[in-house]
Amino acid sequence: MSAPTSPADLYRHSLRLLLDKDIPAWVALWAEDGLMEFPFAPDGWPQRLEGKEAVAAYMRHYPDHIDLHDFPDLRIHQTTDPQTIVVEMRGVGRLVESDAPFDMTYIAVVTVQEGHITSYRDYWNPLAVQEPGTDFTGSSR
């Protein structure tokens, strides 16, 4: 079955893939030249990932560190651009290393063209990565 093409449906599908820990399928939703940005990234964390391969490298070890269980409070807002949505949500689960609870609030601005994510600006809370076991990026903080 092919992935949905409306931005909201594609985004919901991407969340299901993250819950299933299917990172290769999640990365497949990206355009080759997709751009992922983290405007609030702390020192030592990437602020900009250019291209599908950079996104894949960033996410490769995510499930080994953060075990997501649900995305409650999901709200997807349409914008005046039919290809762009604004998403508000929480990601909840546990940190694999410490078994501590994980609860992150996100706001994302996502653009989809021709069934692929072309732009994803992720406004996540950088204070949450101060917890042990959250660094899945391989940075040397």
Side-chain angles (χ1 to χ4, degrees), residues 64-67 93-102 131-134:
D64 297 333
H65 297 275
I66 300 173
D67 178 20
R94 70 179 183 90
L95 299 175
V96 174
E97 180 180 306
S98 65
D99 205 35
F102 176 81
E131 294 294 320
T134 58

Side-chain angles (χ1 to χ4, degrees), residues 5 8 10-11 13 16 22-23 28-29 36 47-48 54 76 81 85 93 95 99-100 105 107-108 111 118 126 138-139:
T5 56
L10 184 80
Y11 195 81
H13 179 66
R16 170 56 31 212
D22 191 346
I23 300 305
L29 299 176
M36 189 170 206
Q47 292 188 322
R48 183 179 177 99
I76 299 176
D81 177 349
I85 56 174
L95 299 175
D99 205 35
T105 301
I107 294 178
T111 301
T118 58
S139 71

Side-chain angles (χ1 to χ4, degrees), residues 2-140:
S2 64
T5 56
S6 83
D9 289 343
L10 184 80
Y11 195 81
R12 284 186 192 94
H13 179 66
S14 77
L15 295 179
R16 170 56 31 212
L17 293 172
L18 288 175
L19 291 174
D20 291 344
K21 297 161 186 42
D22 191 346
I23 300 305
W26 186 84
V27 170
L29 299 176
W30 282 77
E32 289 299 323
D33 61 349
L35 176 64
M36 189 170 206
E37 297 175 287
F38 306 98
F40 298 144
D43 289 342
W45 286 69
Q47 292 188 322
R48 183 179 177 99
L49 303 170
E50 296 185 36
K52 182 189 273 191
E53 290 305 314
V55 171
Y58 175 78
M59 290 295 291
R60 184 168 290 121
H61 299 291
Y62 189 92
D64 297 333
H65 297 275
I66 300 173
D67 178 20
L68 290 170
H69 298 162
D70 195 11
F71 291 102
D73 307 322
L74 175 65
R75 289 186 296 268
I76 299 176
H77 306 279
Q78 300 298 322
T79 68
T80 56
D81 177 349
Q83 297 178 323
T84 300
I85 56 174
V86 174
V87 178
E88 297 177 86
M89 68 178 183
R90 285 175 48 225
V92 296
R94 70 179 183 90
L95 299 175
V96 174
E97 180 180 306
S98 65
D99 205 35
F102 176 81
D103 192 336
M104 175 82 77
T105 301
Y106 300 88
I107 294 178
V109 180
V110 182
T111 301
V112 173
Q113 295 178 352
E114 298 177 10
H116 291 96
I117 299 168
T118 58
S119 175
Y120 192 121
R121 280 191 315 280
D122 192 347
Y123 295 90
W124 55 276
N125 178 2
L127 297 176
V129 298
Q130 294 176 353
E131 294 294 320
T134 58
D135 190 356
F136 60 90
T137 66
S139 71
S140 57

